[in-house]
Every structure is written in C-alpha cells, then in structure tokens.
Amino acid sequence: MTEGQCEIGVVGLGVMGANLARNIASRGFRVAVFTRKIEATRKLAGAHPEAKFHVAEDLPDLVQSLERPRRILLMVPAGAPVDNVLDALDPLLDRDDIVIDGGNSLFTDTDRRNQRAESRPWRFVGMGVSGGAEGALRGPSLMPGGDHEAWERLRPLLESIAAESDSGPCVTYCGKGSAGHFVKMVHNGIEYGDMQLIAETAILLRRGLGLTPEEIANTFTFWNRGELESFLIELTAEIFRVPDPIQPDAILLDSVLDRAGQKGTGRWTVRAALDLGVAIPTITAAVDARALSARLELRRKAEAALRGPSGRPIDGLTSGDLADALYAAKIASYTQGFALLSTASSEHGYGTVLSEVARIWTAGCIIRAGFLDRVQAAFDAEPDAFLALTDAFRYDLAARIPTLRRVVSAAALAGHPIPALAASLTWFDTLSTARGSADLIQAQRDSFGSHTYERVDQPEVFVHSDWRPLY
C-alpha cells in the first residue's frame, strides 16, 4: 500500500479488536490492521473483504501505511503487552501521532504511560471500551481521557463508531490523566454489583418463591418493561429460556458450574475505593461473592460440615417485593459508584462530568439501562450531588427501603445467601444514622493507642483522655 493511505491502525485482533476494526471500516474509514500472528490478520481480512483492510506485515509497515499525524488504536491485553507495543512503536512515531490504549488497563498504568508520553513527540490517550463483542462491532460506549487535544482530533472518528442514544453518541471526554480508564474501571465495578444483585434476586424467585424457569423468564421480561429496564435484565430473561442441549427437559443454566470468573477490574475498583476512603459495600460484596464462588470445593465441604444454608421456601413475599428490593439496591450501588467517580475526579484532578458519564452509559455498554437517563438528569440538575439524596432518587429509595428490609430479613431467616442485597441495606442504615457506632470505636482507639478523638461540643479539636484509670 502507498504510504499514508490509511486513516487509523488497529493493533491486536482478538474479538474486541477485530470487531472494532470492522466497525471503523464500516463507517468509511480506511483501516490498517496488525497482530503478531500474520495468519490471523490475513484470515480477518479474507473473511471481511468489504472492510478493505490493509494487512500490515509488522509494526513498521502499519506505521508507514497511516496518514500523518497517525492514529493507532491498541487492543492488546492489559499490562506488559501494552508497554511492549509502546516500546516497539516509540522510535517509529512522529510529532502529534496519537496512540490510544483501548484495553482494560489499570488506571495507574495509564498514569505512568501518560508521563512517558509527556517526554515524547507523540500523544497518548487511555480509553475505556464497553459493550462486549457485539458492542464493539455495532457501537460501543467509549470513555477516552488524557490528552485533550488528541481527544478533539479523535472525536469525529470516535463519535462515528460509538453507540447512539437519544442524547447523542455514547462517547465523551472523561477528563485529564487516567480518567478514561478510571471511569471504565468503575463502570465494571457497577457491572459487578448489577450482576450480583440480579443473580441474588433470581435465586429468591426460584428457591424462595418457587417459580419455574419459564415463570422467572417471564418475570424478568415484565420487569424489563418498567423502571428496571436494562440490558442485563433482558439478558437474564433470555438465559432462563435456553434449554440444555444434552438434557432437553432442563435449562442450560442448571448445567453451568457455580464458579464465577473475574478479570480484575472489580478488585481494582474496591482497592481504589479503599485508597480514596469511599464506601462501596454493594460492589465490594459482589467482588467478595465471586471470590467465594471460586472456592467451590471448600463451599461443598462447608455445606456438609455446617449444614447450611437451608434455602427454605419463603412465605409472604411476592415478585413485586423483589423488584422493589432490587431497585432500591440498584440505587445504592450506583450511588456508591458515582461517589467514587466524584471523589477520584477531585483527588486526581480529572474534571470528570458525572452527567456525561451517565449519558454515555445509556447505550452500547453492558450496564445500559433506562435508569441512567434519570441519573444523567439528576447530575445535570446537581453536578456534585450524592445520587441517593437527589430529588430524582431519595423518595424512590425511601419508599422501597421497608421492602428491601423485609426481603433481606426473610432471605436471611430462610438461609438464602444474598450478600449484595444485604450490603445495600446495611449501607442505607449506616448512611441514614447520624450517630452510629463510631463514637465507641474512637474511644477504643484513644484508650489503647492515644489516637485522640473529637468531642461533640468541640468538633475539630482533638483531645486525649485516660480511659483506664488505675485502682
């Protein structure tokens, strides 16, 4: 190919990279593609001749095929592979070339790569991408951050390939530095919470209320027409309808081993929240649940040794009660996630606009839901608000908390594990209790370690007392 004919290069042709390359080509852009295995690159180009990909033999070939200033999208695994590609590209790039890391990179790695780019002629953008394989092909939610000038140059291309919602393309500038990857990390943390809350509710529908798989599927389909409407609710309804190809009288779900995987973004979210002092108990419970699920043999041994949980049927609850409990817990989870985004933006100087984050999550991404339109409106009205206390949500939450309390209590008494629902209730009770248990903790700390405390009548003044007088 003659030098400079392609408008963007894509490095890494796994499912996400290949589908994003096809997406970009379908919008009329000329795309060069490269992966370490040239056979895989040629196979992709051969399978999709309509894309008219330029098959790069190596990275120098890719760089030479691109118009200047160049745009190169990396879709390689997070961690060392990203650094390895950057090392290889570094001597090949010129002033104002842009390298975009579209993988699930840890935000601190993105900080380090931004620092590297500051001493180089080329520019760097860390960008979260959500939507799975289908979203990558048909329109994902895109979360770029970092170099603002680079964002402005990338904007027309990114807006053309992003998912479309009623409020426009699902892409926005998420802020300075590592903001793009931080926003994507929190997106995934919220996703963990959503999935766990839905799974716990499904357990209660089936084992607590005794509904059949078809009845559960119909329930989720019904919920998907109301305030719980979301991609994950729709997906769950579909899952409960899929028959097992080996056992036609059973559903495929019952043949799935009860051991959940995770790729690390949930754990990263919890660690970041701990570092920033933000409580995200619903999301943490979801991460913990996956960690416990991985200890399947231990759980089997514990079930036999401890004779639990019994998982008895539950009387007195309806599917409507479970819908209200799920919605209340969802408000709790999203409040926690957006509180983390707000604190990180302040601490790291990101300048993230929360209403814009909610807007770009309304389509294309895994947590897309009508609920996010209300979140966007809430932050449009109060940009720095605590979501659960906004007019858009505080009345809904307060009205549903009594039902969440009944559901959590009934599930606990019947022996059904619901860690995320229970954590959401505990979060609400702790949040809405002005004087809780911290006074005693402060007294204990001052007693054994002279850590001091504040008096009610003299806040901001730290004092020490003798709590253990000698007799």
Side-chain angles (χ1 to χ4, degrees):
M1 174 173 282
T2 304
E3 181 176 353
Q5 286 189 355
C6 290
E7 295 163 281
I8 187 168
V10 178
V11 178
L13 300 175
V15 174
M16 290 293 289
N19 281 0
L20 275 173
R22 291 174 58 196
N23 182 351
I24 296 168
S26 73
R27 315 294 172 161
F29 294 93
R30 301 182 303 277
V31 184
V33 291
F34 170 76
T35 191
R36 289 181 303 167
K37 296 181 179 179
I38 187 64
E39 298 82 5
T41 314
R42 290 173 179 154
K43 183 178 179 181
L44 174 68
H48 301 284
E50 75 286 351
K52 300 179 182 178
F53 291 131
H54 168 63
V55 175
E57 299 287 328
D58 51 29
L59 283 176
D61 181 16
L62 179 94
V63 170
Q64 285 297 108
S65 72
L66 299 176
E67 295 177 345
R68 297 185 182 185
R70 304 174 179 95
R71 295 177 290 190
I72 302 174
L73 172 61
L74 308 187
M75 294 302 297
V76 299
V82 177
D83 292 317
N84 293 339
V85 176
L86 287 177
D87 288 343
L89 284 173
D90 197 351
L92 305 174
L93 300 178
D94 296 318
R95 180 166 301 280
D96 289 335
D97 290 347
I98 301 171
V99 180
I100 312 140
D101 175 15
N104 265 340
S105 288
L106 179 60
F107 73 96
T108 51
D109 286 343
T110 304
D111 285 328
R112 175 172 51 78
R113 291 164 189 147
N114 277 322
Q115 289 177 353
R116 173 182 184 169
E118 287 176 0
S119 63
R120 301 296 197 275
W122 46 270
R123 299 173 182 270
F124 184 77
V125 169
M127 182 175 73
V129 179
S130 179
E134 182 178 356
L137 180 61
R138 304 188 185 282
S141 175
L142 300 171
M143 294 153 260
D147 189 312
H148 191 270
E149 185 175 330
W151 148 248
E152 290 295 349
R153 286 174 43 206
L154 292 169
R155 185 172 184 170
L157 184 151
L158 296 181
E159 288 185 342
S160 74
I161 68 170
E164 283 279 344
S165 71
D166 291 341
S167 56
C170 291
V171 57
T172 195
Y173 178 68
C174 290
K176 300 175 183 178
S178 55
H181 279 134
F182 196 97
V183 169
K184 176 53 165 55
M185 177 190 73
V186 174
H187 165 283
N188 285 21
I190 293 173
E191 178 185 309
Y192 272 57
D194 265 351
M195 293 173 71
Q196 183 65 31
L197 290 168
I198 291 170
E200 291 173 15
T201 304
I203 284 177
L204 295 180
L205 285 169
R206 192 173 191 185
R207 301 176 192 171
L209 274 59
L211 272 59
T212 67
E214 182 64 23
E215 289 170 334
I216 295 171
N218 292 339
T219 298
F220 277 102
T221 298
F222 176 72
W223 288 353
N224 201 47
R225 301 189 188 112
E227 63 188 7
L228 286 169
E229 178 273 322
S230 72
F231 168 69
L232 286 170
I233 291 288
E234 176 186 2
L235 184 67
T236 304
E238 293 171 355
I239 287 171
F240 273 95
R241 289 194 172 98
V242 177
D244 189 331
I246 298 176
Q247 304 177 67
D249 293 335
I251 60 170
L252 182 57
L253 177 62
D254 288 344
S255 293
V256 176
L257 193 67
D258 188 54
R259 184 162 58 201
Q262 54 180 313
K263 293 186 176 180
T265 48
R267 293 195 299 269
W268 296 349
T269 306
V270 173
R271 288 175 190 150
L274 287 171
D275 288 342
L276 291 168
V278 179
I280 56 167
T282 305
I283 296 169
T284 301
V287 174
D288 286 345
R290 291 204 194 184
L292 269 173
S293 80
R295 303 294 302 276
L296 183 56
E297 292 306 316
L298 175 64
R299 288 161 47 218
R300 287 171 174 165
K301 184 183 297 184
E303 182 180 55
L306 302 175
R307 299 181 182 178
S310 60
R312 298 188 303 273
I314 299 174
D315 295 325
L317 291 182
T318 67
S319 61
D321 293 330
L322 297 183
D324 282 347
L326 177 57
Y327 192 68
K330 186 180 181 78
I331 295 172
S333 184
Y334 278 69
T335 298
Q336 295 161 28
F338 276 93
L340 177 56
L341 285 176
S342 179
T343 302
S345 180
S346 177
E347 290 292 319
H348 299 315
Y350 288 153
T352 303
V353 179
L354 300 184
S355 62
E356 275 291 279
V357 172
R359 182 188 68 78
I360 66 171
W361 288 350
T362 57
C365 69
I366 301 302
I367 64 171
R368 60 187 183 266
F371 173 88
L372 283 157
D373 289 325
R374 297 186 64 199
V375 175
Q376 179 190 350
F379 285 121
D380 275 336
E382 301 177 68
D384 299 318
F386 191 73
L387 189 63
L389 299 183
T390 62
D391 289 342
F393 288 105
R394 62 191 176 101
Y395 299 110
D396 282 351
L397 181 58
R400 287 165 175 78
I401 284 298
T403 304
L404 176 60
R405 195 178 306 283
R406 287 196 297 111
V407 168
V408 171
S409 299
L413 288 171
H416 297 283
I418 49 162
L421 285 168
S424 300
L425 177 62
T426 300
W427 171 85
F428 171 84
D429 286 341
T430 305
L431 176 68
S432 58
T433 301
R435 187 176 181 91
S437 56
D439 53 353
L440 179 56
I441 290 171
Q442 284 299 88
Q444 291 170 336
R445 294 178 69 242
D446 189 48
S447 177
F448 67 67
S450 300
H451 293 293
T452 73
Y453 64 95
E454 300 167 88
R455 287 182 56 88
V456 173
D457 54 0
Q458 290 182 303
E460 308 300 329
V461 177
F462 291 87
V463 297
H464 167 64
S465 295
D466 184 2
W467 298 90
R468 303 180 70 187
L470 297 177
Y471 293 100

